[in-house]
């Protein structure tokens, strides 16, 4: 078993997670079995309670763990399927230690950061290696070297290296090499100092990943090598990619990273097979056509807030040899009408969310998509909003609402399940993780999935209120997927619309570059269909727009 630790220096937001994930891609392409994990030094037990403005999206795993968005990169860039064991926060570490102390497990000893806290951290690395399913464990340490919170993690790594032997471990430091315009020079000093910080605690990186705007010339490489004590060929340049994050594995490969890592860890492998990955990147970079998709949400200035959704759109579009022009619309700006903003749009997507802010605008967007037969995909809150809109404007249930936005609404078309009513804690208290969905035969959903049983990841409290099912069905609102016992609505669609689909779950957590999610793929196909039919039959009656042609829906399995 080999171990790679990825630390970050100088500043945050260097793309450490992407770099770690990209190394995973390269090692998998060399037929190694890879797993990734993330250590986050903050004190929250998990990021589930954090605001997307602060922390970006919360990524949900099969087992219901609410984790850091870097785990999304790991799952998208490699074949590993992660569990709650793959994301450890200081909050969890201290929770474990304190619970043990209260139980009396430390037998009267003074409980300390070394060894008790560091032991919990080391055990988490061992848990993965004990499974012996992997050849390489890649562990990313969140935060920046020099942060007080990060120290116990770095100390745990130092001890761990002692235990497993330095020949089995590689420390990779992702750092910034800034370009100073006035001097026309790349500066190595911040990197030198950040490596010095690592050395202070007893860690010496063997590989430097240098994020920079300009190419690193020979002099800069020599300087970094000498001052930071890494070999010159282990100074790896990672410039900002031109088009897509999926280029990162290819640029790192061009810099020789995977060969270097295998040499340093004494791993014998075949040359990497990156043909499929290259093909995918080629399609993202040079698509034959383009489609405009509107995403109507709350956190439009924070690119990370809907990360998995944007990635899923990219995957689905690439599979149709198509590029996406994203139009990000702040839902609040649609509160007083949508016409001009949603004109010329191929499809409308409403993501998940919490709280009432922006809901009125989302309702308007859903209505516009329904009435103008624009392909629509509603995810979680997006589905709930579409439900409320249909109840109000088609079924005439004027006061229809979710009890999330109006506790006392007389028409709770979306409401809390009995078991959620008494829940007061905010942390990990939703319906979380993978649940099965039975897809109703003969629906568009069945065609899209090509299957009647699927499993999808959830993160929500509120549900469709089945009391309204028959009334809404009579008007064309179809529940096209339910929980196996039929009690919970999981998927909805409209009968008289080319593609109006909502799901109570989050398909965006299961889409990969070469395996786009069927709901996204169907959405893109329908949007392309609308675009081309608008181009060729500009005068055609809206009603004549057909559903997505069957042959275009390619089931995944
Ligand atoms: N706020 C809604 C609920 O709790 C939707 C959640 C979501 O979109 N993830 O059910």
């Amino acid at each position: 078993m080999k171990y790679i630790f990825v630390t970050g220096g100088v500043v945050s937001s260097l793309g450490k997670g992407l770099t770690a994930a990209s190394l995973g891609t390269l090692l998998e392409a060399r037929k190694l079995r890879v797993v990734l994990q993330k250590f986050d030094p903050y004190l929250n037990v998990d990021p589930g309670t954090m605001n997307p403005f602060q922390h970006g999206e919360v990524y949900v795993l099969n087992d219901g763990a609410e984790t850091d968005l870097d785990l999304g990169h790991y799952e998208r860039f490699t074949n590993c399927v992660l569990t709650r064991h793959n994301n450890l926060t200081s909050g969890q570490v201290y929770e474990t230690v304190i619970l043990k102390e209260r139980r009396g497990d430390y037998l009267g000893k003074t409980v300390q950061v070394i060894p008790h806290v560091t032991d919990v951290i080391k055990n988490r690395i061992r848990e993965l290696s004990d499974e012996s399913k992997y050849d390489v464990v890649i562990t990313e340490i969140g935060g920046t070297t020099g942060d007080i919170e990060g120290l116990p993690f770095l100390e745990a790594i130092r001890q761990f290296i002692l235990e497993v032997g330095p020949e089995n471990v590689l420390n990779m430091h992702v750092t910034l090499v800034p370009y100073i315009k006035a001097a026309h020079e790349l500066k190595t000093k911040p990197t030198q100092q950040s490596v010095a910080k690592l050395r202070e605690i007893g860690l010496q990186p063997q590989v430097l990943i240098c994020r920079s705007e300009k190419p690193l010339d020979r002099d800069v490489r020599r300087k970094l090598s000498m001052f930071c004590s890494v070999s010159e060929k282990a100074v790896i340049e990672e410039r900002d990619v031109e088009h897509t994050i999926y280029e990162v594995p290819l640029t790192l490969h061009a810099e020789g990273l995977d060969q270097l890592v295998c040499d340093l860890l004494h791993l014998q492998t075949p040359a990497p097979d990156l043909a499929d990955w290259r093909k995918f990147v080629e399609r993202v970079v040079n698509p034959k056509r383009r489609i405009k998709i509107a995403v109507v949400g709350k956190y439009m200035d924070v690119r990370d807030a809907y990360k998995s959704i944007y990635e899923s759109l990219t995957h689905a579009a690439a599979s149709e040899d198509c590029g996406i022009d994203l139009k990000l619309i702040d839902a609040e700006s649609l509160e007083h009408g949508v016409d001009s903003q949603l004109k010329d749009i191929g499809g409308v997507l409403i993501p998940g969310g919490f709280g009432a802010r922006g809901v009125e605008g989302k309702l308007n967007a859903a209505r516009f998509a329904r009435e103008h037969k624009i392909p629509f995909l509603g995810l979680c809150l997006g589905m709930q909003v579409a439900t409320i809109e249909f109840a109000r404007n088609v079924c005439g249930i004027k006061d229809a609402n979710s009890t999330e936005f109006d506790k006392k609404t007389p028409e709770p078309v979306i409401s809390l399940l009995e078991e959620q009513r008494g829940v007061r804690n905010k942390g990990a208290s939703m319906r979380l993780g993978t649940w099965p969905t039975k897809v109703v035969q003969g629906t568009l959903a069945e065609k899209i999935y090509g299957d009647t049983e699927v499993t999808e990841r959830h993160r929500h409290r509120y549900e469709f209120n089945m009391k309204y099912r028959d009334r809404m069905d009579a008007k064309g609102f179809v529940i096209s997927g339910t929980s196996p016992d039929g009690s919970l609505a999981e998927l909805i669609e409209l009968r008289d619309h080319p593609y109006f689909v909502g799901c109570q779950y989050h398909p965006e957590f299961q889409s990969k570059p070469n395996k786009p999610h069927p709901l996204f793929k169907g959405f893109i196909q329908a949007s392309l269909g609308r675009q081309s039919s608008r181009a060729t039959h500009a005068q055609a009656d809206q009603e004549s727009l057909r559903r997505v042609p069957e042959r275009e829906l390619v089931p995944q399995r």
Side-chain angles (χ1 to χ4, degrees):
M1 177 75 68
K2 304 289 181 181
Y3 304 89
I4 299 172
F5 293 102
V6 182
T7 51
V10 185
V11 291
S12 59
S13 306
L14 284 180
K16 241 184 317 164
L18 258 179
T19 304
S22 300
L23 178 57
T25 311
L26 293 176
L27 297 182
E28 274 193 353
R30 286 177 171 264
K31 305 270 179 291
L32 292 166
R33 296 165 309 162
V34 179
V35 68
L36 290 109
Q37 67 181 166
K38 170 120 197 236
F39 290 167
D40 277 311
Y42 50 71
L43 285 171
N44 303 62
V45 171
D46 63 42
T49 51
M50 289 191 214
N51 186 323
F53 276 126
Q54 292 234 325
H55 197 259
E57 125 190 317
V58 174
Y59 187 80
V60 181
L61 305 179
N62 279 339
D63 65 0
E66 298 173 273
T67 69
D68 185 83
L69 59 81
D70 278 326
L71 277 83
H73 291 312
Y74 304 166
E75 285 199 333
R76 285 189 284 270
F77 275 65
T78 69
N79 293 312
C80 56
V81 178
L82 306 174
T83 72
R84 59 182 68 252
H85 296 286
N86 299 71
N87 193 189
L88 179 71
T89 67
S90 291
Q92 287 167 36
V93 174
Y94 284 101
E95 192 184 37
T96 309
V97 170
I98 290 167
L99 283 175
K100 274 175 111 177
E101 188 274 337
R102 290 290 84 183
R103 270 203 311 265
D105 291 1
Y106 293 115
L107 300 172
K109 289 203 188 85
T110 308
V111 182
Q112 295 177 297
V113 172
I114 305 170
H116 303 108
V117 164
T118 48
D119 278 353
V120 173
I121 298 171
K122 283 187 291 178
N123 281 344
R124 200 42 95 77
I125 310 167
R126 285 234 173 66
E127 264 171 37
L128 287 184
S129 31
D130 285 350
E131 288 179 35
S132 69
K133 287 192 297 211
Y134 311 110
D135 303 309
V136 183
V137 179
I138 302 177
T139 307
E140 178 194 347
I141 320 297
T144 308
T145 308
D147 292 347
I148 292 177
E149 294 98 326
L151 289 176
F153 290 95
L154 300 179
E155 166 61 17
I157 295 172
R158 191 192 62 78
Q159 295 172 19
F160 191 81
I161 297 173
L162 218 53
E163 290 166 24
V164 298
E167 67 283 7
N168 296 315
V169 182
L170 189 149
N171 289 325
M172 195 164 107
H173 193 54
V174 183
T175 175
L176 177 72
V177 181
Y179 178 73
I180 302 298
K181 266 209 198 98
H184 298 292
E185 241 181 356
L186 286 170
K187 291 294 183 187
T188 64
K189 190 77 78 195
T191 300
Q192 294 176 35
Q193 290 182 343
S194 138
V195 169
K197 269 271 166 240
L198 277 177
R199 289 211 202 108
E200 238 170 59
I201 194 161
L203 293 178
Q204 167 64 51
Q206 288 80 41
V207 178
L208 286 182
I209 306 283
C210 304
R211 300 281 289 111
S212 86
E213 286 170 52
K214 304 263 175 198
L216 305 185
D217 61 23
R218 193 69 205 278
D219 276 352
V220 173
R221 288 177 195 255
R222 263 199 218 121
K223 221 163 151 184
L224 284 166
S225 156
M226 201 206 12
F227 284 109
C228 303
S229 268
V230 301
S231 75
E232 209 180 304
K233 66 173 192 289
V235 177
I236 303 284
E237 170 186 308
E238 189 187 327
R239 250 184 305 153
D240 299 341
V241 281
E242 235 174 286
H243 310 278
T244 158
I245 54 170
Y246 298 101
E247 287 171 80
V248 178
L250 302 178
T251 57
L252 291 176
H253 172 67
E255 278 280 300
L257 177 67
D258 47 318
Q259 187 60 56
L260 173 78
V261 166
C262 290
D263 291 346
L264 288 168
L265 289 173
H266 318 286
L267 286 164
Q268 311 282 331
T269 76
D273 177 3
L274 291 165
D276 284 351
W277 197 271
R278 273 186 213 288
K279 240 188 267 161
F280 170 74
V281 171
E282 179 56 28
R283 262 183 278 131
V284 176
V285 176
N286 285 317
K288 279 216 188 77
R289 45 197 171 164
R290 303 198 72 82
I291 182 85
K292 205 171 192 181
I293 299 292
V295 177
V296 181
K298 253 189 351 185
Y299 307 104
M300 306 327 290
D301 298 333
V302 192
R303 264 294 169 135
D304 280 353
Y306 304 117
K307 178 140 242 140
S308 295
I309 292 175
Y310 301 145
E311 296 312 323
S312 302
L313 286 170
T314 303
H315 305 158
S319 74
E320 298 297 312
D321 206 350
C322 153
I324 300 261
D325 294 322
L326 272 181
K327 179 157 185 184
L328 306 182
I329 303 177
D330 187 336
E332 282 177 293
S333 73
L334 300 183
E335 271 165 17
H336 306 291
V338 300
D339 284 40
S340 61
Q341 294 220 59
L342 289 182
K343 237 183 21 212
D344 304 331
I345 286 292
V348 175
L349 187 151
I350 303 188
F354 296 84
R357 186 168 71 80
V359 165
E360 288 305 317
K362 290 179 190 174
L363 284 164
N364 286 340
R367 178 175 195 165
F368 191 87
R370 176 176 60 75
E371 289 179 345
H372 293 80
K373 306 266 189 252
I374 303 174
F376 173 90
L377 184 58
L379 309 177
C380 209
L381 180 69
M383 168 210 149
Q384 298 175 354
V385 160
T387 306
I388 297 167
E389 189 281 315
F390 194 88
R392 284 187 193 171
N393 301 321
V394 181
C395 305
I397 309 172
K398 287 278 166 287
D399 294 322
N401 213 338
S402 163
T403 53
E404 180 177 8
F405 316 130
D406 178 4
K407 271 205 181 66
K408 300 212 167 66
T409 174
E411 304 282 6
V413 288
I414 306 289
S415 66
L416 274 188
L417 280 188
E418 225 19 83
E419 59 253 40
Q420 278 285 346
R421 298 227 162 123
V423 175
R424 292 281 169 269
N425 273 350
K426 287 270 185 278
S429 59
M430 290 184 254
R431 179 150 87 104
L432 287 167
T434 289
W435 294 80
T437 291
K438 208 170 63 190
V439 182
V440 178
Q441 284 182 359
T443 56
L444 174 64
E446 191 207 357
K447 280 187 209 134
I448 298 169
Y449 273 113
D451 207 341
T452 51
E453 259 173 62
V454 297
T455 53
E456 297 280 3
R457 298 183 186 178
H458 291 66
R459 180 171 187 254
H460 63 108
R461 288 195 176 82
Y462 297 81
E463 306 275 354
F464 176 78
N465 184 343
M466 285 295 200
K467 282 188 205 130
Y468 291 89
R469 182 178 191 166
D470 292 344
R471 265 165 89 186
M472 294 185 61
D473 186 275
K475 296 279 186 190
F477 181 97
V478 181
I479 305 246
S480 48
T482 64
S483 56
D485 68 357
S487 67
L488 303 174
E490 295 280 19
L491 259 168
I492 60 116
E493 64 190 52
L494 299 188
R495 219 173 269 128
D496 301 318
H497 193 289
Y499 194 97
F500 194 103
V501 174
C503 52
Q504 188 53 82
Y505 44 76
H506 292 273
E508 69 270 26
F509 297 142
Q510 298 213 71
S511 174
K512 295 196 179 220
N514 289 318
K515 199 168 167 255
H517 192 284
L519 293 186
F520 280 90
K521 197 171 159 83
F523 175 60
I524 295 294
Q525 287 176 344
S527 305
L528 283 167
R530 172 182 153 82
Q531 186 166 281
S532 56
S533 72
R534 279 195 343 149
T536 45
H537 315 286
Q539 306 303 321
D541 174 6
Q542 294 282 6
E543 296 304 316
S544 71
L545 281 175
R546 283 174 303 122
R547 293 205 136 197
V548 189
E550 218 163 302
R551 65 186 160 71
E552 286 191 5
L553 295 170
V554 188
Q556 268 199 310
R557 283 169 275 191

